[in-house]
Amino acid sequence: MIVCKFGGSSLADAAQMKKVKAILESNPERMAVVVSAPGKRNKEDEKVTDLLYQCNALAQKGQSCRPVFNEIVKRFSSIANDLKIDEKELSLMLDDIRVAIDAGHGADYTASRGEYLSAFIMSRYLGWEFVDAADVIVLNSDSTVNDATYQKLAERLVSGKRYVIPGFYGETEQGVLKTFSRGGSDITGAIISRALNADLYENWTDVSGIYRADPRVVENAAVIPSMSYKEVRELSDVGASVFHEEAIAPIYHAGIPINVKNTNKPDDPGTMILPEAEYRGLSGVSARKGLSRISLRKLMLFKKSGMRHSLLTMLHIFGIRPCFSLFGIDSIVWFFETKQASESVCQAMCERLLKDFGLDRITVDHGYAIVGIAGQNMDEGVVASDAVVALRDAGIESVFINAGSSDTTVLIGVKESSADDAVRAIYNKLFA
Ligand code: ASP
């Protein structure tokens, strides 16, 4: 039995939805489908989810969402019209949703309606049963999945029937609708796969798998034929997008394989993601941009126990959550996402840390990227030295090198302005 998830570009218009139907009907094993909201039809277009967030922003300012909502109405009506689905029920739903958005139902409710409507249309078009995610996916207040979900799904989904389920959202035990983070329909697909104990989770998108490097950076980058759960998480942590990194968690223990496939080229094999990949070698290289660096120094910094913890707590108070750390005998360096703190917040934080901890020095500077090379059972020493040589030959300075903290990644800090060149240099040396 196969669970499928189709992303926004696969559902962008009626023509794409026809491809989805053909794919689903070509294999009787495909029993459940999770859908995203309609995505972009072309480069200049807007995703329905983005339009919905704009609607919510208008409503929060006390303005009517109608001007933007009309765009959404046009998109869904034209899809329904092309697919010959009765528009009356849809138009009543759209009216109710607009009124609820204007009444201030909030960002999560508003954003979730794209998936809801997309699933409603697909269920009518396919003749498969619609199951509202709000009735079966129980979320905790931090949007993590509550185990009660699996009980509910076991009661609701009957074997032998075919279902359409909207992605991206669920409901708390208190009945509050909540979304996952952006791209979160992948997580819904994983939850349904686990609930149905699927043999395979097919994740359909608009590219033929996960690339060894971002094809916008490395022209003709190759697709990764097969990789492990761990490598996917490591690659998404350093900026590779295609599969949501949190979507591994629901299926981790069940060990369900994932196949990332292309709706526009369904015969391409795509990328298989397996609990453990059998090969030994490299899978890909990616760069996470938009990082800033905090460097601090104090003589005998670590002499006092709990110092590192207290410093981190203070960073959290200022909204900074470091994604990478380096420690010296008397110094610490943290990297964090620049968007987490404005210049004035950084300044206030530095003043507070200097005063409270008697630091000798603290600086914050911006414009960094971390380049990650992921692989399976790799010899990190060799990979790191080859990568550093590639960077040196390309005239790119490394800010730090981290090898050995995991057997699946080597991380190298670079200036953000040279991140793309760094990815190209490493790809050409290690993958081409
Ligand atoms: N529609 C949501 C987004 O644009 C969720 C998803 O597509 O997975 O992020």
Side-chain angles (χ1 to χ4, degrees):
M1 203 273 299
I2 301 172
V3 170
C4 299
K5 177 256 161 177
F6 285 86
S9 53
S10 306
L11 299 149
D13 56 21
Q16 288 299 92
M17 289 188 176
K18 286 179 187 166
K19 292 183 191 169
V20 171
K21 185 176 189 199
I23 290 168
L24 289 169
E25 289 180 348
S26 68
N27 185 343
E29 290 290 312
R30 295 183 174 128
M31 298 300 285
V33 59
V34 171
V35 294
S36 284
K40 291 185 181 191
R41 291 160 292 187
N42 51 56
K43 266 203 182 132
E44 291 71 42
D45 201 13
E46 292 204 74
K47 293 181 177 185
V48 163
T49 308
D50 290 327
L51 293 172
L52 285 164
Y53 279 121
Q54 289 172 32
C55 287
N56 178 59
L58 286 172
Q60 297 305 318
K61 281 193 270 178
Q63 296 170 18
S64 165
C65 70
R66 206 185 269 269
V68 180
F69 198 77
N70 283 345
E71 291 303 310
I72 297 172
V73 172
K74 267 197 237 155
R75 286 196 67 172
F76 281 110
S77 307
S78 111
I79 291 174
N81 186 38
D82 284 357
L83 300 181
K84 303 196 173 34
I85 291 166
D86 180 15
E87 282 182 60
K88 254 190 242 127
E89 202 178 346
L90 177 71
S91 103
L92 287 176
M93 275 180 180
L94 283 162
D95 278 345
D96 287 350
I97 291 170
R98 181 182 47 75
V99 171
I101 296 173
D102 277 343
H105 273 49
D108 286 41
Y109 165 82
T110 305
S112 73
R113 295 305 85 186
E115 271 64 17
Y116 180 87
L117 293 165
S118 182
F120 168 77
I121 289 186
M122 279 310 285
S123 89
R124 287 295 146 97
Y125 182 46
L126 293 166
W128 295 15
E129 190 174 325
F130 171 86
V131 175
D132 189 358
D135 296 335
V136 284
I137 295 193
V138 187
L139 298 182
N140 301 315
S141 54
D142 59 358
S143 286
T144 51
V145 184
N146 186 307
D147 273 347
T149 298
Y150 296 103
Q151 180 66 30
K152 288 211 174 204
L153 282 167
E155 286 162 11
R156 180 69 181 75
L157 305 182
V158 178
S159 109
K161 282 185 93 174
R162 297 176 111 176
Y163 297 99
V164 183
I165 301 133
F168 192 38
Y169 70 95
E171 207 172 89
T172 65
E173 281 175 313
Q174 292 70 38
V176 179
L177 202 142
K178 286 196 84 63
T179 58
F180 295 119
S181 55
R182 296 298 304 263
S185 300
D186 285 348
I187 308 174
T188 313
I191 294 170
I192 303 299
S193 301
R194 166 164 158 195
L196 291 173
N197 198 16
D199 301 303
L200 180 66
Y201 169 21
E202 286 180 341
N203 192 284
W204 293 84
T205 171
D206 56 357
V207 286
S208 290
I210 301 179
Y211 286 90
R212 295 204 185 277
D214 185 339
R216 287 167 301 187
V217 176
V218 177
E219 226 183 294
N220 301 324
V223 168
I224 306 170
S226 155
M227 64 197 299
S228 65
Y229 284 176
K230 233 165 67 183
E231 287 168 280
V232 168
R233 285 188 47 74
E234 305 262 10
L235 264 188
S236 17
D237 190 47
V238 285
S241 57
V242 166
F243 191 69
H244 198 296
E245 54 165 340
E246 287 171 43
I248 295 290
I251 51 176
Y252 188 77
H253 293 293
I256 298 167
I258 307 158
N259 193 187
V260 178
K261 282 182 71 83
N262 190 346
T263 303
N264 305 317
K265 292 183 180 170
D267 294 331
D268 283 0
T271 299
M272 280 303 289
I273 306 170
L274 304 165
E276 291 289 337
E278 269 144 35
Y279 70 92
R280 181 185 170 92
L282 298 179
S283 57
V285 54
S286 178
R288 176 171 179 177
K289 297 180 185 168
L291 301 179
S292 294
R293 175 175 75 170
I294 304 173
S295 318
L296 57 88
R297 171 174 290 279
K298 177 181 164 65
L299 193 68
M300 316 271 270
L301 177 65
F302 293 117
K303 188 79 182 153
K304 212 164 157 217
S305 68
M307 184 65 139
R308 200 182 305 185
H309 181 77
S310 314
L311 285 162
L312 259 184
T313 306
M314 190 56 81
L315 258 55
H316 288 180
I317 290 171
F318 284 91
I320 294 177
R321 297 188 172 270
C323 57
F324 187 74
S325 337
L326 293 162
F327 302 103
I329 179 170
D330 292 327
S331 59
I332 307 182
V333 173
W334 276 302
F335 288 86
F336 66 97
E337 285 181 14
T338 307
K339 65 175 185 228
Q340 289 177 347
S342 64
E343 207 52 64
S344 55
V345 168
C346 289
Q347 206 180 327
M349 177 200 64
C350 288
E351 282 165 16
R352 182 76 188 269
L353 287 174
L354 265 179
K355 187 162 132 276
D356 287 11
F357 295 89
L359 302 179
D360 298 332
R361 188 172 62 87
I362 178 163
T363 54
V364 177
D365 60 341
H366 311 292
Y368 290 95
I370 296 182
V371 177
I373 306 155
Q376 182 76 18
N377 305 313
M378 62 185 182
D379 186 337
E380 302 97 57
V382 173
V383 172
S385 63
D386 283 353
V388 168
V389 169
L391 294 184
R392 199 199 49 210
D393 290 350
I396 298 164
E397 190 195 335
S398 315
V399 178
F400 71 81
I401 300 152
N402 176 278
S405 60
S406 109
D407 61 355
T408 33
T409 10
V410 167
L411 300 176
I412 302 177
V414 295
K415 291 298 272 182
E416 184 170 22
S417 52
S418 51
D420 288 349
D421 288 335
V423 167
R424 277 188 284 269
I426 291 173
Y427 185 89
N428 288 336
K429 172 104 183 159
L430 273 69
F431 294 88

